Amino acid sequence: MVPRPDPRQLDLFAEQVVPAFRTEPTLDTSPVRVGFIPMDEMLIEAGLGSRYSLMTGYALQDTSVPYLPRSIAFPVTLKRDRDGTPHLFVASPVYADLPYVRRVEEATGLKAISHPSASGAFWHHAVDLAADAGWERLAESLEFTTLECVDQAVGLHVIDGELSAANARLLMGRLGVQEPGDRSAAALARIDVNFGSFELDTTAWTAIHAVEDGWIKPGRVGKGRTVYATLTKKALDHVASRRAQAA
């Protein structure tokens, strides 16, 4: 089919020249396959990694230590750029000093560096140890987490019943976190019927006061059965009164 003349050209009867299409270079956006290259095979054979973790980019597991806390059991991640360049990522330098991470460094010839993609270890350390069976270990290993993570983890587990209010008090005292003088009155005044958080900020002291002062009945975690936290009559009466005043 003869193309129409371009109205912008000077001679409308001149022969039309169809410009050649410009072709852009094709970029290979397919993910790099891992788990089938020499470094991965070597880690698998040395017992330092599994094919699943290497293929999915998950943290490598140190099977010589207990599964919990996950921060210590899964302390380092092997990631690759699009061009296949490998990197070892940890949450902070203290993780790079773990014997397992040192062995992975030696095996790969890479240096583990701190990276935000590995920062989940901070939360895992706090949430896995903020329990009646682990709070003392948590108090002695704060270098593997942050106070913010501990504050949130303690609040969570006081409410769900994995950490007693008494032990939570001892932990916060060991950490030097000052108790609010008003016993979290402002936060507790906002309590409401809401599954899970009850509209609270669920920080450590708020949760401790909510349980100690009879606002919340903590949950209970048992073998094969979980009992969730509930509001007490005191809390429900407070919610009803507040709603009546707002109506």
Side-chain angles (χ1 to χ4, degrees), residues 63-212:
T63 56
S64 68
V65 300
Y67 181 81
L68 298 178
R70 288 166 289 175
S71 52
I72 306 301
F74 299 86
V76 61
T77 302
L78 175 62
K79 296 280 190 180
R80 286 187 172 83
D81 295 335
R82 282 289 184 182
D83 62 2
T85 303
H87 304 279
L88 291 179
F89 293 146
V90 291
S92 70
V94 70
Y95 284 94
D97 289 334
L98 291 172
Y100 172 76
V101 178
R102 291 287 180 86
R103 293 199 301 271
V104 173
E105 285 182 328
E106 183 179 356
T108 60
L110 302 173
K111 180 67 176 177
I113 60 174
S114 302
H115 194 273
S117 67
S119 62
F122 292 141
W123 172 247
H124 286 151
H125 194 78
V127 78
D128 288 346
L129 293 179
D132 287 329
W135 71 268
E136 290 180 289
R137 181 181 175 186
L138 176 57
E140 296 169 354
S141 57
L142 285 181
E143 66 272 22
F144 291 100
T145 185
T146 66
L147 278 176
E148 181 181 5
C149 286
V150 173
D151 194 27
Q152 293 293 328
V154 169
L156 174 69
H157 285 327
V158 167
I159 297 298
D160 68 23
E162 289 196 47
L163 178 64
S164 70
N167 283 337
R169 269 191 170 279
L170 293 174
L171 174 58
M172 301 311 285
R174 291 269 292 272
L175 303 185
V177 181
Q178 188 173 2
E179 180 177 3
D182 66 348
R183 293 191 63 82
S184 307
L188 292 172
R190 297 191 297 270
I191 202 167
D192 208 338
V193 181
N194 179 23
F195 180 77
S197 67
F198 303 116
E199 299 298 333
L200 298 177
D201 56 19
T202 60
T203 53
W205 282 117
T206 300
I208 292 170
H209 294 148
V211 171
E212 288 182 339

